[in-house]
Amino acid sequence: MSNVVLMLTTERDVHAQVVNRRLVDLGAEPIFLDTARIPRNVTLSARQSADGSIETELTLAGRTISGAEIAGIWFRRPQQFRPPDNLLFQDECDFVIAECKQALEGWLDLMGDKVMNNPHAENAACNKMLQLARAAEAGLTIPQTLASNDPDAVMAFAADDNCVFKPFTQPGPIIVPTRRLDEAHQPFAHQIRHAPHLYQEEVAKIADIRVNVIDSEVFATSIKGVFDDRPLDWRLDRSHSYAPYDLPVQVAAAIRRFMASIGLRFGALDFGLRADGTLVFFEVNPSGQWLFCEIETGAELSAAMARALTFGTQSTVVQDQMELA
């Protein structure tokens, strides 16, 4: 029977703790798999035969679990692998970590669509330029954007309109917010050459919209600042209000096309809402936080996540059956 759900994160992960309870309610057997325990305390195996058959299994806490027993795998917040303590040189540690990474990602590839999200798809989807291209192809509105470390190109781009800038990545737990590029930055324009950034037209927005997608289920939350001098980046504002938001049908359809094209089962998407009702796509975080949306609006994201991990692509069918029962 396939009822084991692996959650690749630590037991301190509050999101996973909530989903853990929902999984138990569904009759699943959730198991935390802290990848920091690989290879010391966890073994992975995959047997591939000449006839094309595949058998996978892992052993943790003295228990061996076959791939056939696993209903779903949540690639939530994997931790760094920990090589054995008796390795003397950093090159040896780096080699072990690289081998563990290849083995785990290959093992997850063999588990197919049981995985949310596939790490290869997630890594590719973290590329913000690819996100914008796929979003536009899917029919979503995107802001005018320049990715560059050319000072002349950036300053020319900024001269055409109000401009904001943000990094491609975040340096650890520190939030580097989206900021306006203004006259105060001009004396330092030559430093743009040191690292490429994303530069975009500033969207005149009346609210931020966070859209969490779990397979075919779409949950939208409106985030509005209370004060007129609120920060440009809503993550820095502790005084905003939250409310459920009804997405236009065509936007929800475009979001589903976008998620399919970029290969994600889950994503936290950020939009800016213009006064005319236009939703402007900013980015998707393949492993973004969503529990605050459930707490603030009552949207049942954790239940949807548990269904998706237990029943896979049939989760919405199962939900319909549960509501009719």
Side-chain angles (χ1 to χ4, degrees):
M1 180 179 179
S2 302
N3 72 331
V4 171
V5 173
L6 296 179
M7 300 186 291
L8 274 61
T9 186
T10 71
E11 294 186 12
R12 300 185 304 274
D13 186 332
V14 177
H15 284 68
Q17 292 172 5
V18 175
V19 173
N20 182 83
R21 293 195 292 270
R22 303 290 183 266
L23 288 165
V24 171
D25 291 342
L26 290 175
E29 182 185 359
I31 296 176
F32 284 87
L33 172 55
D34 183 352
T35 52
R37 300 177 65 192
I38 301 173
R40 298 182 181 205
N41 309 110
V42 175
T43 64
L44 297 168
S45 299
R47 183 185 299 275
Q48 297 173 267
S49 301
D51 61 3
S53 61
I54 298 172
E55 296 178 8
T56 56
E57 67 179 29
L58 81 158
T59 301
L60 72 163
R63 175 183 174 183
T64 298
I65 304 170
S66 71
E69 296 177 72
I70 298 172
I73 302 172
W74 190 11
F75 191 73
R76 161 68 184 160
R77 290 287 169 97
Q79 304 298 301
Q80 179 65 280
F81 306 107
R82 293 182 59 194
D85 290 331
N86 60 354
L87 298 183
L88 300 178
F89 302 104
Q90 187 61 45
D91 286 349
E92 294 177 317
C93 293
D94 292 343
F95 175 72
V96 169
I97 289 171
E99 290 292 284
C100 290
K101 181 176 184 294
Q102 287 291 316
L104 176 61
E105 291 183 355
W107 192 87
L108 291 172
D109 282 337
L110 295 180
M111 297 303 294
D113 59 8
K114 291 183 179 182
V115 183
M116 178 187 292
N117 292 309
N118 179 284
H120 297 299
E122 188 159 302
N123 288 338
C126 285
N127 186 308
K128 289 183 168 58
M129 289 186 285
L130 177 65
Q131 291 182 16
L132 291 166
R134 293 288 184 268
E137 291 169 0
L140 295 171
T141 300
I142 66 171
Q144 295 292 331
T145 301
L146 172 69
S148 180
N149 68 326
D150 183 333
D152 293 335
V154 170
M155 299 315 292
F157 178 82
D160 293 336
D161 208 339
N162 292 335
C163 179
V164 302
F165 66 102
K166 61 184 179 182
F168 289 103
T169 61
Q170 293 289 334
I174 300 172
I175 293 178
V176 178
T178 300
R179 292 174 287 180
R180 290 185 179 89
L181 185 65
D182 53 32
E183 293 181 355
H185 294 100
Q186 288 186 358
F188 308 100
H190 63 282
Q191 296 182 2
I192 290 172
R193 188 176 301 278
H194 298 329
H197 271 38
L198 276 178
Y199 301 87
Q200 296 180 313
E201 65 169 308
E202 181 176 348
V203 175
K205 58 186 181 181
I206 60 172
D208 287 277
I209 306 298
R210 167 59 68 91
V211 180
N212 293 293
V213 181
I214 303 171
D215 284 336
S216 61
E217 298 192 69
V218 180
F219 304 85
T221 301
S222 169
I223 306 170
K224 289 186 177 182
V226 176
F227 303 109
D228 292 337
D229 61 346
R230 58 188 178 273
L232 178 67
D233 192 322
W234 68 265
R235 295 172 300 174
L236 303 181
D237 183 5
R238 300 299 182 186
S239 63
H240 38 240
S241 62
Y242 302 87
Y245 180 78
D246 291 329
L247 279 174
V249 173
Q250 66 272 22
V251 174
I255 288 172
R256 291 188 178 97
R257 289 194 297 271
F258 164 72
M259 293 291 287
S261 72
I262 210 163
L264 296 178
R265 292 181 60 192
F266 168 80
L269 293 76
D270 287 320
F271 292 81
L273 176 63
R274 288 177 172 150
D276 65 0
T278 301
L279 284 163
V280 183
F281 172 85
F282 292 146
E283 64 183 50
V284 59
N285 185 337
S287 58
Q289 307 287 54
W290 47 262
L291 190 57
F292 71 96
C293 295
E294 176 166 312
I295 292 170
E296 297 289 346
T297 70
E300 297 183 349
L301 284 101
S302 59
M305 181 65 74
R307 289 194 300 273
L309 291 169
T310 304
F311 305 112
T313 56
Q314 297 299 310
S315 61
T316 53
V317 175
V318 171
Q319 171 66 1
D320 290 342
Q321 292 173 344
M322 292 170 63
E323 291 177 351
L324 291 172

